[in-house]
Amino acid sequence: MGVIRDHPELALFLCLALGYLVGKLRVGPITLGGICGTLIVSLLIGTRHVTVDDDVKTVFFALFIFSLGYLAGPQFFANLNRRSLRFLALCLIELVCVLGIAFGLAKAFDLDVGTASGILAGAATESAVVGTATEAIGKLDGLTSAQVSQYQGHVATAYTVCYLFGLVTIVLYTSQIMPMLMRINLADASRELWEKMRGGARGLEADEREALPGTVGRTYLVTLADGLRIGELKAVRAGRVTVEGVKRGSRLLTPSPDLELTLSDLVQLVGRRSWIIEAGREIGPETPSVPGLDTPLATRQVAVTEKATAGSTIAQLERDHPEFLKDGVYVTDVLRNDQHLPASAETTVQRGDVLTLVGARAGLNKLVAKIGAVVKNDATDFIYLGFGIVAGSLLGQIVVQFGDIPMSLGTGGGCLVSGLLFGWFRSRKQTFGAFPPQAANTLKDLGLAVFIACTGLTAGPQAWPLLKEYGALLPFAGIAMVLVPATISLVIGRKLLRIEKPLLIGAIAGQQCSTPAITSITQVAQSSVPLLGYTITYALSNFLLPLTGPVLVGVLGSG
């Protein structure tokens, strides 16, 4: 142990390795996750008085919170509209409930500010609150350095216990109990909603793939269309099929509308399968792939950046841009943050979404400029990243007085706000400030894990005394602070807001920013439909919940 005390970097990475190993342990549908595992291991190692410099904790927390805001920024601002007001209401229910319950427990049981903040962070399963509350405690007036250290340690300990119970509760409540309360089979309800959104098309099971893909390319031998111009083909005029190539003997011809087809020409068509079949009846028999006339379907990942496009459904997008139908281009996937949404006609695209377009290359090139920009995330723009964190740190130093209560965002809150703004600004054009999602997620996870490990190492010596004093209260708080807002949201979401049941269950998981819960929900649903509700509340709560830490600390600290 002496070697670890002399070389804290060993302790730090040992906490990460062992913590993520512990986090992989599974009990039924429940896994602790790497962050909770890291905190448990670091608390144990911390009892041997192993510490890491506080500056390390501050730097990595800034990286985590900025990356979190950067990833959520486009969707956060996109969801500030009338359509999303009903989902915003769920987030406000969560906010009011967790703050009210934490404040009530603090007053009823005479909890110190650190324990109350840890209960809030753990029961809400929002790790970012640990950082914002810990930082806010360090800025309270009238506390000695020993008291600051003690209260910050209480944050980590209370968080650990409450997180365990809060995590189990939100996963079981949303994925198992809520469907029973609403008297639905979640898989059937999700499939029915999917079919409704798809205009009656049957939803696929989790292990199924389309046997007959909708977008295809075919080649036909001209036997019936002799003397017919390409522009006169009915399917082409209807805008559902494009002629990508014509081969006459050994020559490849440009397929202009005025080109007259002759016997034995080979014609390549691209478009919806049903329309390709109709077009083939006008031209002649289908032939195998022809060398020189086997142009593959191209794929583009396009970020939605145009204001006119954001907020449209995919069906509206296709109506507003005739090139979709005319040039045979189709949306096959919608990526929002790191979640894949169903590319159905009713799915609403937001600024910052990444659409996968598949179709003829010429048609793709025409559409890209009208919808957004081709995603180029091959290298991180460290200039943009660095200035973003600097701006957030400076913003966090601003102190505003509310009566006798000094309120400050701190480095955590400031970097969260700057991350939201910088991520949103980047999403508007996608031509600067690249921060690849894989890199952003890695930095986010690493930043939080290192911060949690540092916090746990520091809190280790105070953990056992706090558990002896409040051992029975912490599990109760963890369960109550999940059940109360989730149940209120369930009732209001159905009775007043009329949110579809699968979407509501996903939204309740999102209002608590619970990735394990939505993972379990989608497994039970055998569908990604609940993600449509989850992504909205997740983006909003990711910004709002971390701010509850400084608010609670400010209110309790002033008393």
Side-chain angles (χ1 to χ4, degrees):
M1 192 60 70
V3 175
I4 295 180
R5 290 196 193 99
D6 294 338
H7 298 277
E9 69 276 9
L10 295 179
L12 186 61
F13 288 102
L14 184 62
C15 288
L16 295 185
L18 294 179
Y20 272 79
L21 185 62
V22 170
K24 288 182 177 294
L25 298 178
R26 178 179 293 275
V27 179
I30 307 297
T31 55
L32 291 179
I35 298 302
C36 188
T38 297
L39 187 49
I40 292 172
V41 171
S42 61
L43 282 170
L44 293 174
I45 295 178
T47 59
R48 312 309 298 173
H49 300 280
V50 177
T51 59
V52 177
D53 192 276
D54 282 345
D55 290 339
V56 175
K57 181 169 65 174
T58 302
V59 169
F60 276 90
F61 184 69
L63 290 173
F64 155 68
I65 205 75
F66 179 84
S67 302
L68 177 67
Y70 185 97
L71 289 168
Q75 300 312 317
F76 175 80
F77 287 104
N79 288 321
L80 296 180
N81 55 48
R82 289 185 179 180
R83 290 182 180 180
S84 300
L85 282 179
R86 57 180 185 166
F87 291 99
L88 176 60
L90 300 183
C91 296
L92 295 179
I93 291 171
E94 176 77 16
L95 224 65
V96 171
C97 286
V98 296
L99 274 173
I101 294 172
F103 181 79
L105 290 174
K107 293 300 182 182
F109 295 93
D110 195 26
L111 303 178
D112 64 78
V113 65
T115 303
S117 300
I119 289 174
L120 171 61
T125 61
E126 179 51 76
S127 306
V129 178
V130 176
T132 55
T134 298
E135 185 181 32
I137 290 172
K139 295 183 177 181
L140 286 177
D141 295 329
L143 296 181
T144 65
S145 59
Q147 286 176 312
V148 169
S149 177
Q150 181 185 28
Y151 292 161
Q152 288 177 337
H154 288 178
V155 174
T157 305
Y159 165 83
T160 305
V161 178
C162 290
Y163 180 88
L164 291 172
F165 286 88
L167 173 64
V168 172
T169 303
I170 188 64
V171 170
L172 293 179
Y173 194 43
T174 53
S175 65
Q176 306 295 327
I177 299 175
M178 280 188 181
M180 289 191 292
L181 292 176
M182 290 192 285
R183 298 177 181 178
I184 62 170
N185 179 295
L186 186 54
D188 292 341
S190 297
R191 191 175 300 113
E192 289 170 5
L193 182 56
W194 169 262
E195 291 169 3
K196 179 182 177 182
M197 295 165 63
R198 298 264 305 199
R202 187 184 76 83
L204 297 175
E205 301 288 348
D207 59 348
E208 291 180 332
R209 295 293 182 270
E210 291 181 337
L212 298 172
T215 307
V216 297
R218 296 286 188 269
T219 56
Y220 292 91
L221 177 68
V222 174
T223 59
L224 304 177
D226 182 30
L228 199 64
R229 289 184 174 85
I230 287 178
E232 294 173 342
L233 291 172
K234 292 179 181 178
V236 174
R237 290 204 310 272
R240 299 285 182 170
V241 167
T242 58
V243 178
E244 283 296 300
V246 176
K247 190 172 185 181
R248 182 170 294 165
S250 60
R251 291 185 301 144
L252 293 176
L253 307 179
T254 302
S256 66
D258 294 328
L259 178 64
E260 188 175 291
L261 300 176
T262 64
L263 284 173
S264 301
D265 280 353
L266 293 169
V267 181
Q268 184 191 34
L269 305 179
V270 172
R272 291 287 186 189
R273 179 167 31 84
S274 59
W275 282 86
I276 290 285
I277 293 171
E278 289 294 324
R281 291 172 182 158
E282 295 182 64
I283 299 171
E286 184 177 354
T287 66
S289 178
V290 179
L293 202 63
D294 53 358
T295 304
L297 295 179
T299 301
R300 292 281 189 280
Q301 284 195 312
V302 180
V304 176
T305 60
E306 297 304 314
K307 186 177 181 180
T309 300
S312 301
T313 64
I314 291 178
Q316 291 171 335
L317 201 62
E318 292 179 344
R319 287 197 298 269
D320 293 342
H321 298 282
E323 292 86 355
F324 273 104
L325 302 180
K326 179 181 177 182
D327 297 322
V329 179
Y330 307 93
V331 181
T332 61
D333 185 49
V334 180
L335 181 65
R336 183 169 297 166
N337 295 328
D338 57 349
Q339 303 289 351
H340 291 272
L341 304 182
S344 67
E346 298 300 320
T347 297
T348 300
V349 298
Q350 304 290 358
R351 184 171 284 183
D353 285 356
V354 176
L355 307 182
T356 299
L357 304 183
V358 176
R361 190 177 303 277
L364 279 177
N365 293 336
K366 295 176 187 176
L367 267 173
V368 167
K370 296 185 177 183
I371 296 175
V374 175
V375 175
K376 294 181 179 179
N377 263 338
D378 51 351
T380 299
D381 186 343
F382 284 101
I383 299 173
Y384 195 70
L385 176 64
F387 278 121
I389 295 177
V390 168
S393 298
L394 292 174
L395 180 62
Q397 307 311 310
I398 299 174
V399 179
V400 179
Q401 291 289 140
F402 289 92
D404 297 329
I405 304 174
M407 297 295 294
S408 170
L409 289 175
T411 300
C415 285
L416 178 59
V417 172
S418 71
L420 286 168
L421 292 172
F422 273 62
W424 167 76
F425 194 57
R426 147 76 178 172
S427 72
R428 294 173 65 86
K429 289 297 178 185
Q430 301 269 4
T431 56
F432 59 89
F435 196 10
Q438 298 90 338
N441 277 301
T442 298
L443 206 56
K444 175 173 69 73
D445 294 342
L446 178 63
L448 179 59
V450 171
F451 167 79
I452 289 294
C454 293
T455 301
L457 290 172
T458 303
Q462 290 91 33
W464 181 242
L466 183 70
L467 289 175
K468 287 197 297 184
E469 185 175 359
Y470 299 118
L473 173 64
L474 299 181
F476 167 78
I479 296 172
M481 288 179 68
V482 168
L483 290 181
V484 171
T487 303
I488 294 174
S489 295
L490 182 64
V491 173
I492 292 179
R494 282 302 300 157
K495 301 296 184 182
L496 297 180
L497 302 178
R498 303 293 181 182
I499 300 175
E500 294 84 351
K501 294 176 182 179
L503 299 187
L504 178 59
I505 292 176
I508 291 173
Q511 77 183 41
Q512 194 151 344
C513 300
S514 180
T515 302
I518 192 59
T519 301
S520 182
I521 290 167
T522 53
Q523 288 174 350
V524 173
Q526 301 177 13
S527 167
S528 62
V529 167
L531 280 169
L532 296 173
Y534 173 83
T535 54
I536 299 175
T537 53
Y538 178 84
L540 295 172
S541 287
N542 249 331
F543 168 67
L544 296 172
L545 278 178
L547 299 181
T548 60
V551 170
L552 184 65
V553 170
V555 173
L556 294 178
S558 65

